[in-house]
Amino acid sequence: MVCRKLIPLPRHMIPALIGVCLGIALSLICVSVEEETCDLHSFSTKSKPKVAKQEQTNRAAEKEAPEVDHLGQSRKTNSLNEKQNFDYSNTDDFEPRLRTPVYSTKDHSEQKPTRKVIRPRYASTELGIREKLLVCVVTSQKTIPTLGASLNKTLAHYVPKILFFMGPRSNKLPSGMSIVSFTDSEQPVLPFHMLKYAAEHYGLSYDYYMFVNDNIYIRGEKLLDFVSDISISRPIHLGRPIVPKNSTIPYCDLNSGIIISQAILASVASSLEKCIGKGPSAEPTDLGKCIAKLSGSGCTAKINEKHFTTFVSQNLDYDRQIKMLDKDPAFSTALTVSHVPDEVTMYKLHRHFCEQELVLTQRLLEETKDKIVKMSVLTPGGKAGVSWPVGVQEPHKPKSRFDVLKWDYFTETHVYLANDFSNVQELKGIHKQDVNDVITVAVERLTKKYGNQYEYSHLVNGYKRFDATRGLEYIIDLVLKNDNGEDLQKRVHLLRPLSLVEIVPMPYVTENSRVNLVLPISSSNRDGVVSFLDSYAHTCLDSGDSANLFIVFIYDPVNGKDDVFGVLKSMITYYENKYQNGARIAWISLHTSNPTEFTIMDAVSKKFAPESLLLLCTIGMELSTEFLNRVRMNTINGWQVFFPIGFYQYKPNLIYEEKPYPTTIEISKNVGHFDRSLYEQSSFYNSDYLSARKNGTEIDESKNDLFSMFVKQGKLHVFRAVEPALKHRYRHRVCNPALDEGAYQRCLVSRSQGLASRAQLAMLIFEHQQKVDKMHLKVLHKQNDPNVNHMNPNMLK
């Protein structure tokens, strides 16, 4: 029945069906024949041992030989544009060949362990980043307090580094200068020692090197712009060229300054002994002759269409010659002025060129403003669309009500609603000075516009706001009095614009430094040490982080001879036995009745080398790899100390409704806050601490802390920033009235704000008041008062 239903077809379709069947049969026959001749798919049992044998060949030979198939024939790599005869749809019998690495038959224990890659401390070393210019100055005992000091003050804040080289060191030297002294060096040979020292200690740190005498004035800003536009791909030998009589190679005069590139310095420093041998009879210009001779590159005053202009004056009298010199283009465009007679002339030259730059800058600003106004006609908004002041970014335009910038209202004495926690505050310090400066500038502009017709009376209203795109804006209403004593009110708009944002030059450090955690423990806070040790083991020991733990057990001499830290010491022994490579935990005992940060760190600093990085920790803080790496990056030896602002947890029984409390701290406004009043955690290098302690012996240890010590020292950057990776559990804080007034007030603020948020405290007070009201109603019920049945808790308020 089935066949009868399928067979009935039109008679003209039967030949087509027969043709399709014959075609399929012929294609199957052809495929079986082609498989016998295809190299990719003819896998015989005899060829398999050959493949296995080939797999065990040496990997080095495998890389050199061309890739072969299973039959040993070379395979040709075909282009995608070429015709391919291979049918990729029929790959059921294709067997991929896996190339496994050939391991040595030796025991793995005999193989040498892979060497750990050690990164340098500074990222600039790793990336090959170099500073632009190093200035080396030849000076002496007689001239360094005068010419040397004046050159340092007028040049040091423009160039990356300046070094002064002199003979035997004198007893009194100016402060704030980098001085290198040679005890056995005579003055004629000193320039050669200077060049050799620069090559040995700074040969790979700078692109260009400048060598000068101390009786030269250098326009630092112009000089740095000059070398910044020169390509470092070619050797540079710049200065005032002098052609000697017996040679055709010009050399540079040291009195006018010599600039050479890093390549020239490297080629000269290796053969410098040939010139030093003639030192006793040498003249100051012999350094230029030596550089020209050894490098084979003559001195030039022009490079890439830029001229290294110098001005030479043997007897410079500033007061008498300045008007004439100001008309001389060689003097106005000079980068250096040589043969300056004294330090007073050096300062006068610096003032003259600074005033010249200021006038030029103001003229360029006015020209730029005029161009902006003229071009505004072609803009869609026309002249009306030009922002005020001209050339300054337009005011912030809020996209929603949440982006509106708030104006702060102020008078001459107070500011109102400056923050969310105060209604009115008295203007003090820099804020008071800011308001006075604004009023002074406004009065000066009104006087300039109207002449002396009006006299300032008082300030009526003042408004200010900070716009991150423009600066600090002011709107003030002033009352002026005219000659008749009548009052006239004027509204003035002012703007303190943001100047050019500059990146503070800082050494780039890496995360390769070892951190030494210092943990002071007293008998009152020893209960939280167990959780800190667990956090240290999980963060540092298990992950192999380069961090050591140094514990300071603080004993009170009054408590007797019982060891209250015996259990904790046994735990340290447990961790040392648990980790075979060593737990890297050490401890010392400190017996004192009045422990302060200074007494603790004085004892700790003796146990570490000066180059050690110390991190002062507290019980309750949670360690993390991110926080430790940030400590390494933000703490720079001889440059910066780090005081992070951690996230402190609120009191758990006030913020959580039921137990058990969460084991982790989540950064949320309902869980904790960043406490800006605390300076407990800090990181610094031991050498910086020892230097600060040496220079700050007059600090009262009982009323100060480490933060105030570093701030008062003033030689290091004190970096203070919010640190989200530093989380601290709640602990009750006890404020010592013996502290400094400022520190004591900060402690009280931290203790009051560390309980819970304002909303949470308000809710707790409300709930407590409800309980009190209910208890009051119960008392009235017990007294059988007939009016109680008609009362509710809200009626008792």
Side-chain angles (χ1 to χ4, degrees), residues 78-111:
N78 296 321
S79 173
L80 294 176
N81 298 327
E82 297 179 3
K83 262 190 173 182
Q84 302 295 324
N85 297 323
F86 176 63
D87 185 9
Y88 288 95
S89 63
N90 187 14
T91 58
D92 295 338
D93 57 347
F94 181 78
E95 296 182 7
R97 184 181 61 172
L98 300 178
R99 292 186 176 183
T100 58
V102 181
Y103 295 99
S104 176
T105 56
K106 296 182 180 181
D107 187 9
H108 291 284
S109 61
E110 298 179 2
Q111 298 180 2

Side-chain angles (χ1 to χ4, degrees), residues 40 131 163 172 174 234 310 330 359 452 482 490 536 567 630 635 769 789:
L40 288 173
E131 294 285 353
L163 295 175
K172 294 183 179 180
R234 55 183 295 185
T310 60
V359 172
N452 296 324
N482 57 16
K490 291 287 184 179
Y536 170 73
V567 177
R630 203 157 293 152
T635 311
Q769 187 63 38
N789 296 330

Side-chain angles (χ1 to χ4, degrees), residues 76 100 277 383 389 392 754:
K76 181 182 178 182
T100 58
K383 288 188 177 182
V392 180

Side-chain angles (χ1 to χ4, degrees), residues 162-423:
I162 179 171
L163 295 175
F164 291 85
F165 296 84
M166 59 181 297
R169 184 181 292 264
S170 60
N171 296 329
K172 294 183 179 180
L173 293 175
S175 59
M177 300 173 60
S178 300
I179 302 174
V180 180
S181 61
F182 299 94
T183 56
D184 56 346
S185 176
E186 299 180 0
Q187 194 68 18
V189 192
L190 186 59
F192 302 101
H193 289 302
M194 172 180 62
L195 190 145
K196 185 176 181 181
Y197 183 92
E200 291 178 351
H201 294 82
Y202 301 96
L204 301 176
S205 303
Y206 295 87
D207 291 332
Y208 301 102
Y209 302 82
M210 185 175 188
F211 304 96
V212 296
N213 287 324
D214 59 358
N215 61 343
I216 184 174
Y217 173 75
I218 301 175
R219 299 178 67 176
E221 189 174 5
K222 289 288 186 181
L223 176 65
L224 197 61
D225 293 339
F226 178 82
V227 297
S228 299
D229 294 338
I230 303 176
S231 174
I232 62 174
S233 60
R234 55 183 295 185
I236 303 299
H237 185 192
L238 293 173
R240 186 171 70 91
I242 299 176
V243 180
K245 297 180 180 180
N246 55 354
S247 177
T248 59
I249 301 177
Y251 66 91
C252 294
D253 184 10
L254 182 63
N255 292 316
S256 299
I258 303 175
I259 298 178
I260 61 176
S261 61
Q262 192 270 338
I264 297 290
L265 179 67
S267 62
V268 171
S270 58
S271 306
L272 198 60
E273 290 76 7
K274 298 179 182 179
C275 300
I276 297 181
K278 303 178 182 180
S281 60
E283 297 179 357
T285 54
D286 279 353
L287 179 64
K289 293 180 180 179
C290 181
I291 295 175
K293 179 181 178 181
L294 296 179
S295 65
S297 175
C299 178
T300 180
K302 182 180 180 182
I303 182 72
N304 295 339
E305 302 300 327
K306 296 175 69 67
H307 293 270
F308 180 79
T309 55
T310 60
F311 184 80
V312 181
S313 177
Q314 299 295 336
N315 299 312
L316 179 61
D317 188 348
Y318 179 86
D319 297 331
R320 185 173 56 87
Q321 300 177 353
I322 188 58
K323 292 183 179 180
M324 179 183 61
L325 292 175
D326 202 16
K327 301 178 182 179
D328 189 355
F331 177 78
S332 301
T333 60
L335 297 178
T336 62
V337 179
S338 61
H339 299 92
V340 178
D342 50 42
E343 70 276 12
V344 177
T345 305
M346 185 86 73
Y347 292 129
K348 289 181 178 179
L349 287 172
H350 184 66
R351 178 180 178 179
H352 172 75
F353 285 113
C354 287
E355 291 177 348
Q356 189 182 64
E357 290 294 328
L358 182 61
V359 172
L360 178 62
T361 303
Q362 291 176 346
R363 184 169 67 247
L364 291 176
L365 286 175
E366 294 299 328
E367 293 177 357
T368 305
K369 290 180 180 179
D370 294 339
K371 291 180 180 179
I372 293 174
V373 174
K374 292 179 181 179
M375 293 177 62
S376 64
V377 182
L378 306 177
T379 60
K383 288 188 177 182
V386 179
S387 62
W388 177 88
V390 179
V392 180
Q393 184 74 21
E394 294 183 359
H396 171 73
K397 296 180 180 179
K399 297 181 180 180
S400 64
R401 62 187 181 91
F402 301 103
D403 298 334
V404 177
L405 300 179
K406 184 175 72 72
W407 288 88
D408 295 332
Y409 177 79
F410 65 89
T411 62
E412 292 186 73
T413 57
H414 292 82
V415 58
Y416 298 83
L417 301 175
N419 52 60
D420 297 335
F421 304 100
S422 65
N423 295 327

Side-chain angles (χ1 to χ4, degrees), residues 526-556:
R526 65 180 185 270
D527 296 335
V529 180
V530 178
S531 61
F532 187 91
L533 291 176
D534 292 339
S535 177
Y536 170 73
H538 174 71
T539 305
C540 303
L541 300 182
D542 293 340
S543 62
D545 196 298
S546 180
N548 299 340
L549 178 59
F550 192 83
I551 299 177
V552 182
F553 293 114
I554 303 175
Y555 289 87
D556 191 352

Side-chain angles (χ1 to χ4, degrees), residues 677 703-705 735 739-748:
S677 303
K703 296 184 178 181
N704 289 274
D705 51 11
C735 299
L739 293 173
D740 181 68
E741 181 64 25
Y744 180 67
Q745 292 297 328
R746 290 198 306 266
C747 181
L748 295 178

